[in-house]
Amino acid sequence: MAGELLLTSPLEECAFIRPRELAAMQAAGMASVRDLLFMLPRRYEDRRMFDRYDSLSSGAPVCLRGRVVDVGWKGWGGKGGKGRGRYVEAMLVDEQSLGQARFPACGSACRA
């Protein structure tokens, strides 16, 4: 039967995958339909429940909810923060926990 895919079929044979998506999948190590079907997420995030700001622990992923009251570019290493890197910092307000807390969020110029 024409157009039939097997688990061993290469992803290039999948007409429904766009070239950009195909490149991303191959970069992630997927080569066959089997690889695509058995690629599982690293962790599960229940985004129906939100953590409190005052219950944050370092290094653990959290899901927060708040109101963004200010956003701006910050930087380090040079005049005006334009030297070595820049990042976006947002001011979030949470009326149920501490009140106000600053959480930096990396922008496109941020390097890990």
Side-chain angles (χ1 to χ4, degrees), residues 73-83 85-86:
W73 282 100
K74 301 290 180 175
W76 60 89
K79 188 173 184 178
K82 296 180 182 176
R86 293 174 56 174

Side-chain angles (χ1 to χ4, degrees), residues 43-54:
R43 67 176 178 258
Y44 172 75
E45 295 178 6
D46 185 357
R47 295 190 178 179
R48 296 172 297 168
M49 304 294 292
F50 297 98
D51 297 310
R52 293 173 50 112
Y53 287 60
D54 52 2

Side-chain angles (χ1 to χ4, degrees), residues 3 22 67:
L22 178 63
R67 184 169 41 96

